[in-house]
Amino acid sequence: MSTLSERILGAPAGDYVDRQVDRAYVHDGTGVLTLEAWRAMEAGAPARPGRCYVLFDHIVPANNSVTAGLQHDLRMFARQQGFHFTDVGDGICHQLMGEGIALPGEIMVGADSHTCTLGAFGAFATGVGATDMAAIWAEGGTWFRVPETIAMRMRGALSGPAEAKDLALTYVGRLSMDGATYRSLEFVGDGVASLSIESRMTLSNLAVETGAKAGLFYADGSTCRYLGAYGHRVNPQEPEECCYERELHFDLGEVVPVVAVPPRVDCVKPVAEMEGKPLDQVFVGTCTNGRFEDLSRFAALIRGEKVKVRTLIAPASRSVLERATETGILATLVRAGCTILPPGCGPCLGAHQGVLGEGEVCLSTANRNFKNRMGVGGEIYLGSVATAAASARAGFLAAPEATP
Amino acid sequence: MKIEGRALCLGLDIDTDVIIAGRYLRTKDRSEWARHAFEDLDPSLAQRLEGTVIIAGKNFGCGSSREQAAIALKEAGVRGVIAPSFARIFFRNAINIGLPVIECECTCSDNEAVSADPGTGAVTIGTHTYHTRPLSPRMLEILSAGGLVAYWRGRR
Ligand code: SF4
């Protein structure tokens, strides 16, 4: 009887195993270093180029000619090797891998800590560093230590204005920033069925903020339908009785809108307690909350109004942007005074497109609020899309009302 | 394999954004990362890293997967990092680039003499010796080769 991680990795917790990986991906940031390590290894040809992906999302389009040069080199390399490649404007790596590429039961590695996002599909997906990735290009696999698992048992359904993001921040607050170091999280219980695939991606995304290696959901009917739309026929994964290291219980009906107070993701407080904090910027996007569900919720809450603080919106992928265009959501956002950024990470990592100045405060739907992350001297409060909308309308940090 | 140096004591949950800020990642110049290591914690720290062994609190290296964090420390002359626990990607990265890391809960004051052996798990700080879990044989091999690139080249 095994946890999902044990089942996918094929060994009990604590074992070291060597495994081929089903997908391996890098972005323009980590890809540059991976390529450097790869060249230094002089490893010949990649073992399984058809399983390798290079996805440009971090600084797109390039902010200066140094970045442009590094990106050009990596782009040429990816094409020469026959890697899958997505360019400027296509979207965030984790989102694109979640648009019909990640499949239940796969082993996935990404040279980015939020690779755990793909656990939403019942894949074992975890982040690795650049040199590790170069060796994976060379060998097609790597070693893993099979993690112990913490069960996140969910009951009921989210209600009122609470979103998956609030649940995610709530669990990070309960586990703390290292409460799950080296562990996997498994999201289980009757409450899971009520969560959309997009919401599950948000929950898996934050797993690494507790130190976890992966955050997995069992593939169920919703997963099969979602992947069916991309032409995949997959089967649900049936949970087994298994041995969890710990169990945490969550009553979804009790989750309230919260924010993570800088500079810690685990310093989580009800928005109501922080209401009135002046804001200089609201940012909606990232691999946490830049999906269609998020943009459309934001648009529904802001429709017919004008934002009172500069508001930046970055769709997580080109297809999100396409749907937002076709459904009129984009027009609503533009009319409300929002600034639309190209699909990608946007200002999340503080490199371009909305960097904060000294003393500026941002309410962001991202996953990290570390000191200076979005700009030296800037402060980042993390919250849900509904909190972002309420705050954009108010011009200060404001608690959301129930989502229509 | 032994690491020796002066203790540099840091707090807990030191994240990779603090070790090397995102704004310095758009270069391949390793000395640039070394010059700006820990800048947001204490801008004078980078010049004092040469010859030190960092003794930190739990969860060292949490946050992003940026390997530049481990490289910055190695380039700046840090001999190794000792902490009760590490974020797993930082831990893997450190070994892959040849920076020794040891999991050990210990107390320290700045500039005490440190000597440690990742192969036996013995850590001596000042006059006190701790015994902790050694690294796996494979990790030790990668470290003694000087990192995963050199290890890989050596195996061909
Ligand atoms: S959106 Fe932010 S957290 Fe997500 S991959 Fe990009 S930089 Fe990282």
Side-chain angles (χ1 to χ4, degrees):
Chain A
M1 297 287 134
S2 315
T3 65
L4 189 50
S5 299
E6 290 173 325
R7 213 192 296 174
I8 298 173
L9 291 172
D15 276 18
Y16 287 90
V17 296
D18 282 298
R19 291 288 177 266
Q20 292 287 94
V21 301
D22 295 295
R23 330 245 164 222
Y25 64 99
V26 299
H27 52 66
D28 50 309
T30 51
V32 166
L33 265 192
T34 305
L35 182 52
E36 200 180 42
W38 163 261
R39 285 181 176 142
M41 279 179 188
E42 296 176 21
R48 309 209 290 169
R51 306 243 166 206
C52 299
Y53 297 73
V54 176
L55 314 151
F56 278 16
D57 58 5
H58 266 53
I59 302 197
V60 293
N63 60 337
N64 63 31
S65 48
V66 175
T67 308
L70 295 171
Q71 290 187 359
H72 177 76
D73 188 25
L74 183 58
R75 182 185 287 116
M76 291 301 129
F77 172 81
R79 288 192 176 139
Q80 274 157 17
Q81 300 299 332
F83 288 5
H84 301 271
F85 176 70
T86 63
D87 212 328
V88 172
D90 287 335
I92 305 172
C93 57
H94 313 302
Q95 174 64 19
L96 292 172
M97 296 306 279
E99 292 180 355
I101 295 175
L103 296 175
E106 291 192 335
I107 299 177
M108 303 181 67
V109 289
D112 188 275
S113 59
H114 291 104
T115 303
C116 53
T117 311
L118 285 325
F121 298 94
F124 185 86
T126 193
V128 297
T131 303
D132 255 340
M133 185 56 82
I136 292 166
W137 284 356
E139 296 183 278
T142 188
W143 64 270
F144 298 92
R145 181 182 174 283
V146 183
E148 286 78 19
T149 295
I150 299 175
M152 311 287 274
R153 206 167 279 285
M154 314 272 173
R155 195 180 65 201
L158 293 166
S159 66
E163 286 172 26
K165 178 60 166 294
D166 298 303
L167 173 57
L169 291 172
T170 299
Y171 88 65
V172 175
R174 273 179 68 184
L175 272 171
S176 89
M177 270 164 68
D178 68 340
T181 300
Y182 304 136
R183 309 291 190 278
S184 268
L185 305 181
E186 265 184 25
F187 300 93
V188 295
D190 340 325
V192 167
S194 71
L195 299 165
S196 68
I197 296 298
E198 298 188 318
S199 296
R200 295 179 197 183
M201 290 175 79
T202 302
L203 286 160
S204 292
N205 179 266
L206 271 282
V208 70
E209 307 311 327
T210 67
K213 185 167 186 168
L216 294 89
F217 284 83
Y218 287 80
D220 64 4
S222 305
T223 323
C224 299
R225 271 190 304 280
Y226 177 99
L227 291 170
Y230 292 98
H232 298 291
R233 295 186 66 182
V234 299
N235 296 320
Q237 294 162 320
E238 294 304 329
E240 297 173 356
E241 269 305 305
C242 61
C243 172
Y244 292 120
E245 188 187 73
R246 266 172 87 187
E247 293 211 12
L248 264 64
H249 291 263
F250 296 87
D251 188 339
L252 304 195
E254 282 173 10
V255 174
V256 297
V258 290
V259 283
V261 178
R264 293 183 64 98
V265 189
D266 61 0
C267 181
V268 176
K269 300 211 167 115
V271 183
E273 278 179 28
M274 305 297 298
E275 208 152 10
K277 173 102 198 157
L279 295 175
D280 300 283
Q281 178 167 303
V282 168
F283 171 45
V284 178
T286 79
C287 55
T288 315
N289 276 127
R291 286 176 265 283
F292 180 72
E293 191 178 274
D294 302 312
L295 267 53
S296 84
R297 188 183 300 111
F298 189 88
L301 291 166
I302 205 93
R303 178 163 291 124
E305 310 229 9
K306 286 274 182 226
V307 296
K308 294 212 179 64
V309 54
R310 100 182 159 248
T311 299
L312 311 178
I313 311 237
S317 72
R318 185 183 296 282
S319 64
V320 170
L321 177 58
E322 236 176 80
R323 269 179 85 188
T325 312
E326 286 161 0
T327 50
I329 279 168
L330 196 66
T332 304
L333 298 174
V334 173
R335 234 173 263 137
C338 304
T339 299
I340 311 298
L341 303 177
C345 301
C348 178
L349 69 159
H352 68 161
Q353 294 176 354
V355 175
L356 299 178
E358 179 77 41
E360 284 198 313
V361 182
C362 178
L363 187 275
S364 164
T365 64
N367 45 36
R368 283 196 181 131
N369 56 0
F370 298 157
K371 192 176 175 201
N372 296 347
R373 178 171 171 94
M374 284 179 74
V376 179
E379 284 194 345
I380 310 160
Y381 286 78
L382 302 175
S384 72
V385 171
T387 300
S391 303
R393 282 167 51 172
F396 49 81
L397 192 53
E401 291 158 24
T403 316
Chain B
M1 152 173 262
K2 230 184 165 115
I3 55 176
E4 287 181 334
R6 284 173 293 111
L8 173 72
C9 312
L10 298 175
L12 39 85
D13 294 324
I14 301 279
D15 63 69
T16 50
D17 275 81
V18 161
I19 301 174
I20 183 71
R23 58 188 178 278
Y24 297 118
L25 298 184
R26 299 297 120 183
T27 168
K28 290 203 278 185
D29 179 358
R30 291 164 180 248
S31 65
E32 172 96 355
W33 303 330
R35 264 200 304 286
H36 296 288
F38 294 121
E39 189 167 284
D40 292 343
L41 191 65
D42 172 357
S44 74
L45 211 53
Q47 290 108 58
R48 292 186 277 129
L49 291 175
E50 176 71 50
T52 61
V53 176
I54 292 176
I55 316 282
K58 68 180 175 68
N59 203 25
F60 188 86
C62 60
S64 91
S65 68
R66 63 185 65 154
E67 199 162 284
Q68 290 94 333
I71 298 174
L73 300 185
K74 191 179 179 202
E75 280 295 308
V78 172
R79 306 268 167 84
V81 185
I82 301 176
S85 63
F86 291 85
R88 55 165 286 278
I89 302 179
F90 180 88
F91 191 81
R92 256 181 110 118
N93 285 346
I95 291 176
N96 286 342
I97 61 110
L99 175 71
V101 275
I102 300 179
E103 283 182 289
C104 178
E105 179 121 37
C106 31
T107 49
C108 100
S109 6
D110 278 335
N111 296 319
E112 277 185 300
V114 181
S115 81
D117 186 342
T120 63
V123 174
T124 303
I125 301 177
T127 53
H128 197 94
T129 299
Y130 304 82
H131 295 281
T132 179
R133 201 164 28 159
L135 295 179
S136 78
R138 173 151 173 173
M139 292 172 183
L140 287 168
E141 268 178 63
I142 295 173
L143 269 184
S144 22
L148 188 58
V149 169
Y151 171 81
W152 224 89
R153 290 172 66 110
R155 282 196 326 174
R156 289 167 58 232

